[in-house]
Amino acid sequence: GAGVSQSPSNKVTEKGKDVELRCDPISGHTALYWYRQRLGQGLEFLIYFQGNSAPDKSGLPSDRFSAERTGESVSTLTIQRTQQEDSAVYLCASSLALINTDTQYFGPGTRLTVL
Amino acid sequence: LAKTTQPISMDSYEGQEVNITCSHNNIATNDYITWYQQFPSQGPRFIIQGYKTKVTNEVASLFIPADRKSSTLSLPRVSLSDTAVYYCLVGPMDSSYKLIFGSGTRLLVRP
């Protein structure tokens, strides 16, 4: 079956521009997660959704970052006024429910480069 | 959420058994231990999960001592394709759960 998909796979933008990253989770998965991974580093948790709700936004690096999810399906991560330090791979994952024993399935990521 | 400590890197050769140990001294009673594997340019994928004693699947085994303050991921007879980063995660099974990935262990399998 279809896994988690993300688009675009690569995004190059200029400093100060806004970008939108999209995640299509596995159908029926109520939980969705966004992570950031800088080159050669581990994953940094950003935000999770239970349905369309994001109860905890404290992981977002700054107020330039926002995320939303609609129809308990697609999610978008928006970065406003991008900075060079935002360059990273942004990974999305989904799971059946928001419990530890439900495996998180990851997408291939969006590689963001801010020039 | 319990903090985890694991080696930054490990080297091995094809056909050997590899054991990666993760320390989680402040693990809580309701915490589970989960391991993920990440290949270059891909998202992580689930390998194995356990609560106590030993868990085995077609990919790996997970050994958890009685005090649960550490866990060991065992990969039998590794191949070159097992070269990846391995993450140990510890967290509770409740609705506020979120995974905390550290830097992981970079395993390099040599021919």
Side-chain angles (χ1 to χ4, degrees), chain B residues 19-59:
Chain B
N19 296 307
I20 306 174
T21 296
C22 177
S23 298
H24 27 81
N25 290 318
N26 60 339
I27 189 169
T29 303
N30 60 341
D31 282 348
Y32 279 73
I33 301 158
T34 311
W35 286 79
Y36 278 74
Q37 174 191 55
Q38 185 177 24
F39 296 115
S41 301
Q42 294 186 28
R45 69 168 188 167
F46 173 90
I47 302 177
I48 199 166
Q49 182 180 72
Y51 182 79
K52 61 180 179 180
T53 62
K54 177 184 174 182
V55 179
T56 296
N57 62 22
E58 64 278 7
V59 176

Side-chain angles (χ1 to χ4, degrees), chain A residues 4 18 22 26-27 30 33 44 54 60 64-65 70 72 82 85 87 99 105 108 110:
Chain A
V4 177
D18 298 351
R22 177 186 169 110
I26 294 173
S27 178
T30 62
Y33 315 78
E44 175 188 3
L60 294 175
R64 297 186 294 106
F65 287 71
T70 57
E72 297 199 357
T82 52
E85 66 258 27
S87 295
I99 57 175
Y105 295 87
T110 293

Side-chain angles (χ1 to χ4, degrees), chain A residues 50-64:
Chain A
Q50 175 60 41
N52 294 329
S53 173
D56 180 5
K57 301 181 180 179
S58 63
L60 294 175
S62 75
D63 57 9
R64 297 186 294 106

Side-chain angles (χ1 to χ4, degrees), chain A residues 20-107:
Chain A
E20 270 194 6
L21 312 179
R22 177 186 169 110
C23 172
D24 284 87
I26 294 173
S27 178
H29 280 193
T30 62
L32 185 146
Y33 315 78
W34 283 98
Y35 297 86
R36 177 169 71 178
Q37 186 170 35
R38 292 200 166 101
L39 186 64
Q41 298 186 20
L43 278 72
E44 175 188 3
F45 173 83
L46 298 179
I47 192 169
Y48 74 89
F49 287 88
Q50 175 60 41
N52 294 329
S53 173
D56 180 5
K57 301 181 180 179
S58 63
L60 294 175
S62 75
D63 57 9
R64 297 186 294 106
F65 287 71
S66 62
E68 66 173 15
R69 188 181 185 195
T70 57
E72 297 199 357
S73 181
V74 174
S75 176
T76 56
L77 177 68
T78 301
I79 309 173
Q80 295 178 310
R81 304 180 302 282
T82 52
Q83 303 294 313
Q84 288 183 334
E85 66 258 27
D86 299 333
S87 295
V89 175
Y90 289 83
L91 290 157
C92 172
S94 70
S95 62
L96 272 174
L98 194 69
I99 57 175
N100 183 8
T101 51
D102 276 345
T103 300
Q104 290 195 15
Y105 295 87
F106 282 80

